[in-house]
Amino acid sequence: MKQNEYQAMTERELLEALKTDKHAYSELVSRHLETVGQLAGIYAGGDSDFDDLYSEGLMGLMNAVRTYDESKGASFSTYAHTCINNRMINSLRRSNRIRGSEEPIEDLEVAELSSPESILLSNEGVSEVMKLAESRLSPLEWEVLRCYLEGKSHVETAEELGVNAKSVDNALQRVRRKFRK
């Protein structure tokens, strides 16, 4: 199937195509990169914060694609937005930027984000980003990322790759740092 055919598909069609076609994954993720950028822009306190939050949001989006269940009643867009938002808030809580806050942070209306990074990612698409990531990640980091995107736990990943769970965690942290760059 050609790229423009994926662009013409609805989210529901893309979700169905995910079962047999890995290119549908790239199209689905690329449609929601703007949401990642907007939410990172809302929560960021500076350029480095934006990059960190964008990376976390991207991981949340990839997780949303992997775990979405239509039978739960939410649209994919709503589910993806929630996963991205929660991932960013959890990151901020871990970094003590939101101390003791148990209340959800309300989403703000934001004008279209036009940072160079978000424009580049939107134009290149996720498949290009993943190709770039594969070229910059070590073989272990790439395999850990692959397992993460397949929904495997740290323990399952460690067993599959023949390393310990701490090595998996460390590799995933390095992947996040490299995504930020």
Side-chain angles (χ1 to χ4, degrees):
M1 203 177 286
K2 294 181 182 176
Q3 184 64 27
N4 60 353
E5 292 177 29
Y6 292 108
Q7 292 170 346
M9 295 173 79
T10 66
E11 281 190 348
R12 178 168 281 167
E13 291 169 333
L14 286 169
L15 289 163
E16 186 61 33
L18 280 174
K19 297 173 185 169
T20 59
D21 189 349
K22 65 182 178 181
H23 298 292
Y25 177 89
S26 295
E27 176 62 27
L28 192 58
V29 170
S30 68
R31 288 184 185 187
H32 294 278
L33 288 176
E34 185 176 337
T35 300
V36 174
Q38 287 176 341
L39 289 173
I42 290 169
Y43 296 130
D47 288 339
S48 64
D49 288 341
F50 178 87
D51 293 342
D52 291 347
L53 290 169
Y54 193 94
S55 295
E56 289 294 327
L58 186 57
M59 298 292 268
L61 175 56
M62 289 182 210
N63 189 51
V65 172
R66 184 176 49 78
T67 62
Y68 177 70
D69 181 359
E70 187 176 14
S71 69
K72 302 285 183 181
S75 71
F76 177 76
S77 293
T78 300
Y79 181 72
H81 185 277
T82 301
C83 289
I84 295 164
N85 193 50
N86 289 345
R87 182 81 182 219
M88 288 182 188
I89 290 172
N90 286 338
S91 175
L92 291 171
R93 283 189 178 128
R94 282 192 311 271
S95 68
N96 292 324
R97 292 262 316 277
I98 304 174
R99 294 178 191 241
S101 173
E102 296 301 323
E103 307 234 351
I105 296 176
E106 296 296 322
D107 291 342
L108 304 173
E109 289 294 322
V110 177
E112 181 177 352
L113 187 66
S114 59
S115 73
E117 296 86 358
S118 65
I119 292 170
L120 179 65
L121 286 173
S122 294
N123 290 340
E124 286 186 356
V126 174
S127 61
E128 293 300 316
V129 172
M130 294 306 284
K131 285 178 190 173
L132 181 63
E134 184 176 11
S135 71
R136 296 209 176 156
L137 297 177
S138 71
L140 176 63
E141 292 164 349
W142 178 253
E143 288 301 313
V144 167
L145 177 61
R146 180 189 56 77
C147 290
Y148 173 81
L149 295 176
E150 289 175 0
K152 295 179 180 170
S153 71
H154 283 37
V155 172
E156 292 170 326
T157 301
E159 289 173 2
E160 180 178 323
L161 301 179
V163 298
N164 64 41
K166 184 63 178 166
S167 295
V168 170
D169 184 57
N170 290 340
L172 198 51
Q173 294 303 321
R174 288 191 305 272
V175 168
R176 286 186 180 113
R177 279 194 301 273
K178 288 179 181 182
F179 271 173
R180 285 182 208 130
K181 292 179 182 178

